[in-house]
Amino acid sequence: MSEAELVLRSRRVVTPEGTRAASVAVAAGRITGVLPYDADVPAGARLEDLGDDVLLPGLVDTHVHVNDPGRTEWEGFWTATRAAAAGGVTTLVDMPLNSLPPTTTVGNLRVKQEVARDKAHVDVGFWGGALPDNVKDLRPLHEAGVFGFKAFLSPSGVDEFPHLDQEQLARSLAEIAGFGGLLIVHAEDPHRLAAAPQHGGPEYAHFLASRPRDAEDTAIGNLVAQARRLDARVHVLHLSSGDALPKIRAAKAEGVAITVETCPHYLTLTAEEVPDGASAFKCCPPIREAANRDLLWQALADGTIDCVVTDHSPSTADLKTDDFATAWGGISGLQLSLSAVWTEARRRGHGLEDVVRWMSERTAALAGLADKGAIAPGRDADFAVLAPDESFTVDPATLQHRNRVTAYAGRTLYGVVRSTWLRGQRIAADGMFTEPRGRLLTRHP
């Protein structure tokens, strides 16, 4: 048998070659072998027999707003990474806002890293930000190890992170393409948003009308044109509009370097079920109709949408007022993402191999995390142990993120995360957590 300090044995191990009974050997925090189920355990190695529970690679969530420092009352590294560990997420990449300062200079990145260093229960990396006035900072941030750069094409909701107009987008994208970087984009067109009806108040239908699909569709079309012209890599964040999918398919077929994500809330929730005044469901772009959700699932199945991430964006409860126009927009779903997606995926005939591809393999590839995303020799020994046929009802009191507001409250979900492992160490099980063992990750040269 391969060198091993630990062996995890399960009748269902999800590997790149498929799901099979196997024994996974671990030494020095890495997977050293994926071996037959009944392989002998070497002397001195500890055996963890998982029975029929499924062994998955730890999830990689590349879209998380930790908000620390500066808005730590909204969320923080300690609480966010505990929520991640509770949900089987072993790596997250933090967005450059809504912290103060935002991650838009190397100095600001160092502040963020110092705050996170001793609080991370899972591995943490960082995106940089592209602003109208920080083109000069993009290459230094790239060299300092950020995984790419986030830009907004419409107002972000916080003054310290202004959006880019088309000329500013071209300037930033040309700079990023020059060093082979990645631009990740909140794609809603500000002119389409300004032209939409703005009623305010508690009615979800009014909020939905204020963020129309054509705002996404137009912004994505403009982004594709810029990426094509500049031969640049771009990634569309939190896609909610099924109407944009033909443009994305055409761009991919043409060879434009574009990838796309969507989120659990767009895949599992629908506009028809959002109660008026329930701003726990507010996010931008918004949760849309059931027919639109079907289009997103079809695009996941055919590969038009590459991956699924949370866009975990919490706030204090007082900011979630019953007025959809003024309430903070963000869904808190970090701890529940695996179960939420699996619940709907199984109903639609998908398997756990699909979920792993969307939420671990492809997210790791997006960020260039070659050590993550698969149960394979040489990879980090990051695992989630899942009981896929067990269900639970979401009780906000059991959630680990700082402000326990969630759109999933009261929902019955399938897939109970039994335990989570980081580099061969169990970091969460049965509501208990170890002290922080996460590392701060940087982009590999």
Side-chain angles (χ1 to χ4, degrees), residues 144-168:
V146 300
F147 288 92
F149 301 89
K150 181 175 187 177
F152 279 78
L153 301 185
S154 58
S156 71
V158 291
D159 292 341
E160 68 274 4
F161 207 97
H163 69 284
L164 306 181
D165 63 24
Q166 288 299 305
E167 181 180 338
Q168 293 160 345

Side-chain angles (χ1 to χ4, degrees), residues 20-262:
R20 58 189 172 95
S23 291
V24 180
V26 174
R30 291 192 177 260
I31 298 167
T32 57
V34 181
L35 304 162
Y37 177 80
D38 56 359
D40 291 336
V41 177
R46 187 173 95 256
L47 174 66
E48 288 277 344
D49 192 331
L50 306 175
D52 289 328
D53 288 344
V54 182
L55 187 66
L56 311 175
L59 301 193
V60 177
D61 190 343
T62 53
H63 194 149
V64 179
H65 293 267
V66 180
N67 307 339
D68 194 6
R71 291 190 175 95
T72 312
E73 70 275 14
W74 292 16
E75 187 61 285
F77 283 104
W78 182 277
T79 49
T81 58
R82 274 172 66 108
V89 176
T90 52
T91 303
L92 63 83
V93 188
D94 177 55
M95 283 291 163
L97 75 164
N98 300 302
S99 59
L100 295 169
T103 316
T104 52
T105 68
V106 172
N108 291 357
L109 171 65
R110 298 302 181 218
V111 170
K112 183 80 73 83
Q113 289 172 324
E114 189 58 32
V115 169
R117 192 173 310 280
D118 298 325
K119 300 177 182 176
H121 290 82
V122 302
D123 287 354
V124 175
F126 301 90
W127 297 108
L131 304 184
D133 62 354
N134 81 328
V135 173
K136 68 183 185 305
D137 295 299
L138 300 178
R139 185 181 290 270
L141 277 165
H142 178 75
E143 292 172 350
V146 300
F147 288 92
F149 301 89
K150 181 175 187 177
F152 279 78
L153 301 185
S154 58
S156 71
V158 291
D159 292 341
E160 68 274 4
F161 207 97
H163 69 284
L164 306 181
D165 63 24
Q166 288 299 305
E167 181 180 338
Q168 293 160 345
L169 171 64
R171 192 158 56 243
S172 293
L173 192 52
E175 175 72 7
I176 292 166
F179 52 73
L182 172 67
L183 184 70
I184 65 175
V185 181
H186 180 124
E188 288 182 288
D189 182 79
H191 308 293
R192 301 282 182 170
L193 293 178
Q198 305 290 329
H199 295 290
E203 292 188 37
Y204 187 73
H206 288 165
F207 171 65
L208 186 59
S210 76
R211 313 292 296 210
R213 297 188 203 184
D214 68 359
E216 283 188 85
D217 308 338
T218 299
I220 289 169
N222 291 336
L223 181 64
V224 167
Q226 298 268 30
R228 179 191 299 116
R229 182 175 66 83
L230 295 168
D231 192 23
R233 294 170 58 218
V234 295
H235 177 74
V236 175
L237 297 168
H238 46 50
L239 180 73
S240 81
S241 171
D243 292 349
L245 292 167
K247 291 180 181 178
I248 294 166
R249 287 191 180 98
K252 288 190 168 193
E254 184 187 339
V256 176
I258 184 170
T259 51
V260 182
E261 70 184 37
T262 193

